Amino acid sequence: MILVTGATGHIGNVLIRKLLEQGEKVRALLWRDEDTSPIVGLEVEKMTGDVLDSKSLETAMSGVNTVYHLAGIISIMPGRNPLVWQVNVEGTRNVLETARRVGVRRLVYTSSIHAIARAPHGVEMDESLGFDQNNPYGEYDRSKAAASLEVQKAVNSGLDAVIVCPTGVIGPHDYRGSELGEVIRSASEARTMFYVEGAYDFVDVRDVADGLIAAHAHGRRGESYILSGQKLSVRYLLETVREVTGKAFSSIKIPFSLAELAARFTPWYYLRTKAKPRFTPYSLEVLQSNANISHAKAARELGYKPRPIVETISDTVRWFIENTRKMNRPELAG
């Protein structure tokens, strides 16, 4: 039996699909009242629990030999966020302690490229940079770094665990609408697009799921593996969506200086309206940061090989179009 935390997230639901295709028995850990639409129709055992509740974790891990720990809170908002730290760090610590106590054979932790220390432009980023829990760029980055260090401590205490660090994840089955997923969806609907010049490394969610499974099978205990894809500019993304859909839409470039000025006020807007944050100083920083990221270690040790990013964009556009069609015509769903 395999336990997946964060089962309804983008990576989580795709990972479950991959595991089921391989004939594995999967148990999904779900928060109370969580929207389970991303895993509807999948032959998975659903169990209510909370990474902050060790008793529920012990129940969820009963009879489990493998844990994929993906549950966490992503935040691109500035400032401290106690819940991010509680779930991402304390929650991970609880998962690790419970896994060791009940005798889980192997745990695969999904960290993030943002947990790794930043490197200046011109320097290739790889696993040797280590995790930086004093990262100045965001609470999410610091929390994922601290959680990754907790995994390494647990390994030193006897737990068999491995860490994977995906870059920016895009791809099909994006039910909750990731930041870049929403850009792809809006462009596929031929809306007017405003964008800031910049680029980052993005990877297909299906390749990340394959990388997680490969890390379980072949990853060395206590090691971390970057799962990157390809450096992609926002402009190239929009042009590719235009080519895939054949739809013309306006794309307007916003000067970076103007975007920086506007980003000073957007966090206040998101807090006031409770809208999902999309455009903040953090997201601008990411688009301007070093995107020269190596997955050579994962390729060498795990057999990791990400697909061309144009294939990812094409499949994502098609998924959004088909998913919208199903929502508009319920008889097609299922």
Side-chain angles (χ1 to χ4, degrees):
M1 176 66 75
I2 295 173
L3 175 68
V4 177
T5 74
T8 63
H10 194 188
I11 301 174
N13 88 79
V14 174
L15 172 64
I16 287 176
R17 295 169 196 276
K18 295 271 188 179
L19 292 171
L20 293 176
E21 287 173 2
Q22 296 180 1
E24 300 286 0
K25 294 182 178 179
V26 181
R27 179 180 295 162
L29 183 67
L30 306 169
W31 279 326
R32 187 178 295 106
D33 301 323
E34 183 173 0
D35 176 15
T36 61
S37 56
I39 56 173
V40 165
L42 302 182
E43 294 295 323
V44 59
E45 179 185 347
K46 301 180 182 70
M47 184 169 289
T48 301
D50 192 327
V51 295
L52 299 179
D53 179 3
S54 295
K55 186 175 181 180
S56 72
L57 287 175
E58 190 165 335
T59 301
M61 290 187 198
S62 176
V64 166
N65 52 41
T66 300
V67 173
Y68 287 94
H69 178 40
L70 295 91
I73 294 180
I74 298 174
S75 174
I76 63 172
M77 293 287 280
R80 297 289 178 180
N81 187 323
L83 185 60
V84 168
W85 196 265
Q86 288 172 0
V87 173
N88 293 356
V89 183
E90 295 176 19
T92 296
R93 189 182 298 123
N94 289 339
V95 169
L96 296 168
E97 291 175 352
T98 305
R100 186 174 56 188
R101 186 168 62 251
V102 304
V104 168
R105 293 179 187 173
R106 168 156 275 206
L107 182 144
V108 181
Y109 174 59
T110 301
S111 182
S112 168
I113 189 63
H114 300 297
I116 294 176
R118 293 284 206 277
H121 287 274
V123 176
E124 185 176 62
M125 291 185 63
D126 63 19
E127 296 84 354
S128 66
L129 293 169
F131 299 110
D132 180 12
Q133 64 179 335
N134 297 314
N135 187 310
Y137 296 104
E139 185 79 340
Y140 173 73
D141 299 33
R142 291 187 289 272
S143 72
K144 295 299 281 188
S148 300
L149 293 173
E150 289 291 334
V151 176
Q152 293 180 336
K153 289 179 186 177
V155 169
N156 293 334
S157 298
L159 182 66
D160 185 349
V162 63
I163 303 169
V164 299
C165 301
T167 54
V169 178
I170 59 176
H173 303 289
D174 188 359
Y175 289 92
R176 293 180 177 171
S178 63
E179 186 176 351
L180 204 64
E182 284 300 297
V183 172
I184 294 173
R185 180 181 4 214
S186 297
S188 69
E189 295 172 350
R191 300 181 190 177
T192 299
M193 302 299 298
F194 296 89
Y195 73 97
V196 177
E197 192 63 67
Y200 202 63
D201 187 290
F202 294 97
V203 61
D204 193 298
V205 65
R206 296 164 295 185
D207 294 330
V208 172
D210 286 337
L212 283 162
I213 294 170
H216 169 261
H218 306 296
R220 288 184 289 132
R221 175 176 169 172
E223 291 294 318
S224 57
Y225 298 91
I226 291 175
L227 304 181
S228 59
Q230 180 180 325
K231 184 177 179 180
L232 175 68
S233 72
V234 179
R235 180 178 178 180
Y236 176 83
L237 169 69
L238 296 176
E239 290 175 349
T240 304
V241 173
R242 187 182 287 114
E243 290 177 6
V244 170
T245 61
K247 296 179 181 178
F249 59 86
S250 299
S251 52
I252 302 171
K253 179 180 174 181
I254 302 174
F256 192 79
S257 58
L258 180 59
E260 278 188 310
L261 178 62
R264 297 179 187 177
F265 304 98
T266 54
W268 173 86
Y269 166 79
Y270 293 129
L271 287 171
R272 185 175 179 84
T273 63
K274 300 190 183 302
K276 187 174 182 178
R278 300 290 184 193
F279 175 64
T280 66
Y282 178 89
S283 60
L284 280 182
E285 186 277 327
V286 168
L287 287 176
Q288 296 297 310
S289 63
N290 182 9
N292 184 13
I293 303 171
S294 171
H295 58 255
K297 181 179 177 182
R300 183 174 62 251
E301 299 187 17
L302 308 181
Y304 174 73
K305 186 178 180 181
R307 72 198 70 200
I309 201 69
V310 65
E311 178 183 332
T312 301
I313 297 171
S314 298
D315 290 350
T316 305
V317 167
R318 281 189 281 268
W319 184 84
F320 274 125
I321 292 173
E322 180 64 20
N323 194 55
T324 300
R325 187 168 68 92
K326 286 182 177 181
M327 287 188 295
N328 292 335
R329 295 183 60 191
E331 71 273 14
L332 297 176

